[in-house]
Amino acid sequence: MNAVNWNVSADYVTTFWRQNIAQFWTEEEFPVSKDIAAWDALTEAERTVYKRVLAGLTGLDTLQGGEGMPLISLHIADNRKRAVLSFMGAMEQIHAKSYSHIFTTLIPSAETEYLLGEWVGGQRHLTYKAGRISDYYRRLLRPDARPSDVYMACVASVFLESFLFYSGFYYPLYLAGQGRMTTSGEIIRKILLDESIHGVFVGMIAQEIRAKLTFDERAAVESETDELLADLYDNEVEYTREIYGKIGLADDVVRYVEYNANKALMNLGLDPVFSPAPFSPIVENGLDTGTKNHDFFSQKGDGYVMALNIEPIRDEDFVFDRP
């Protein structure tokens, strides 16, 4: 047993801890009721796509918060890195809860129960990618998991955070960029900001592990990474066409998915493999993780500062000098 020691020189772990704290948020901060008029104005096909992408994201965030971050952290020796991973795991649960916050406002509870309880579990492409990712996580249930197993779990995590989530992010960003469903779009933006640093941090851990592998181990994980990427990509294309086909956006979403698959590979220190054509500039604008000046979304922007280091109220604060 040993205790975490934060009394060390600042490094990238400290930076990521501070960034996670700075980005902390909860779904109650966003009044989704302001989206009701926009929701009612969507076509039935558009509402179906919106509901399904959010349901799929809920399932994947549940996996990431319940298995991914906790199991990877068990095999990381540095207690500070484990602390950052634990915080990120908690944020994944907030992400999952935030989708229910949207559902609660916009659709009947019985429909929410169907989407999350039946549709998610019955969507073959969604369950396939979740199963593939979970297989790598569950290898870490063994206390003597090999370093290559930990590395591949990190690869799976980065693919989920930086690649597979984004087919679901596309549509909320697409609508919000047109001034529709803007409050829900703000929630997606906050989630996207979180995922952007999650993918980078876990990718850095993966690179550190990979550097310590033997030549043969590196060759094996490189081959396995290529195979996993190709398999997940093929499944994601099929999932995208099934979800977005009826509203004519599937081809653009695939280009967006390819773009983010390259980002995932870069997070892992690997070369990009796709050469995607440009995708919707509306969605590309939504990928910008810099501060928004309320010109893209109409609600709470991304650059707000939390009130930290607040002095507690004391009895003396209520003693006033009388004239």
Side-chain angles (χ1 to χ4, degrees):
M1 178 180 176
N2 55 64
V4 64
N5 179 14
W6 287 97
N7 189 27
V8 296
S9 299
D11 58 7
Y12 83 90
V13 181
T14 307
T15 299
F16 274 91
W17 175 265
R18 290 173 177 168
Q19 187 62 35
N20 275 278
I21 296 295
Q23 292 184 191
F24 179 76
W25 58 279
T26 64
E27 73 284 354
E28 289 90 353
E29 300 172 33
F30 301 91
V32 178
S33 58
K34 293 185 177 182
D35 284 342
I36 292 176
W39 177 254
D40 291 341
L42 296 178
T43 67
E44 186 61 34
E46 289 172 329
R47 286 196 293 267
T48 296
V49 171
Y50 205 90
K51 289 182 290 188
R52 289 180 176 178
V53 297
L54 292 192
L57 287 168
T58 305
L60 296 177
D61 269 318
T62 301
L63 170 64
Q64 189 70 334
E67 292 186 14
M69 294 302 191
L71 289 175
I72 291 173
S73 70
L74 284 176
H75 296 272
I76 303 301
D78 188 316
N79 283 321
R80 293 182 306 127
K81 292 176 183 176
R82 294 174 72 174
V84 175
L85 290 169
S86 296
F87 192 100
M88 289 178 171
M91 288 309 302
E92 298 294 351
Q93 301 292 4
I94 288 178
H95 299 171
K97 189 172 184 294
S98 69
Y99 302 124
S100 290
H101 178 59
I102 297 173
F103 284 143
T104 298
T105 306
L106 301 178
I107 66 176
S109 58
E111 189 172 3
T112 300
E113 291 173 5
Y114 163 75
L115 285 165
L116 302 180
E118 297 183 40
W119 185 85
V120 167
Q123 215 294 326
R124 59 193 180 106
H125 302 303
L126 184 59
T127 55
Y128 181 81
K129 62 182 171 182
R132 287 286 275 146
I133 298 297
S134 181
D135 284 344
Y136 285 100
Y137 291 160
R138 295 194 174 207
R139 293 179 188 181
L140 304 187
L141 288 170
R142 301 194 307 269
D144 59 344
R146 299 170 299 175
S148 59
D149 290 331
V150 182
Y151 174 80
M152 286 306 304
C154 289
V155 169
S157 177
V158 173
F159 280 171
L160 182 57
E161 300 267 17
S162 305
F163 166 32
L164 301 178
F165 279 144
Y166 283 78
S167 61
F169 291 155
Y170 179 99
Y171 199 49
L173 293 176
Y174 181 78
L175 291 180
Q178 301 172 63
R180 299 189 288 170
M181 303 295 294
T182 53
T183 304
S184 300
E186 279 281 7
I187 293 175
I188 299 303
R189 278 276 306 165
K190 298 302 291 184
I191 293 171
L192 189 151
L193 287 165
D194 290 341
E195 305 301 11
S196 67
I197 63 171
H198 293 187
V200 173
F201 185 73
V202 177
M204 293 177 74
I205 291 176
Q207 292 182 56
E208 291 173 344
I209 296 171
R210 184 178 180 277
K212 297 178 182 178
L213 298 179
T214 66
F215 177 84
D216 289 342
E217 288 172 332
R218 284 198 300 271
V221 296
E222 286 172 5
S223 177
E224 191 168 2
T225 297
D226 290 344
E227 184 276 330
L228 178 62
L229 176 66
D231 188 37
L232 290 173
Y233 172 75
D234 289 343
N235 182 73
E236 199 66 15
V237 170
E238 293 182 23
Y239 177 71
T240 295
R241 299 203 181 284
E242 187 166 325
I243 296 296
Y244 288 97
K246 290 184 178 180
I247 59 172
L249 291 174
D251 289 342
D252 199 56
V253 178
V254 169
R255 292 191 288 270
Y256 177 68
V257 165
E258 291 174 350
Y259 172 87
N260 286 289
N262 283 345
K263 289 289 188 182
L265 291 167
M266 292 168 64
N267 284 342
L268 292 164
L270 304 174
D271 293 331
V273 300
F274 297 101
S275 300
F279 52 89
S280 168
I282 295 173
V283 177
E284 185 177 14
N285 189 29
L287 280 175
D288 180 7
T289 55
T291 297
K292 297 293 181 183
N293 294 316
H294 300 276
D295 57 338
F296 186 71
F297 298 112
S298 64
Q299 306 299 325
K300 185 175 184 179
D302 299 316
Y304 75 99
V305 178
M306 292 183 63
L308 300 177
N309 301 319
I310 300 173
E311 292 186 10
I313 295 175
R314 302 168 300 171
D315 289 343
E316 300 94 292
D317 294 327
F318 295 93
V319 178
F320 306 101
D321 293 330
R322 294 185 182 276

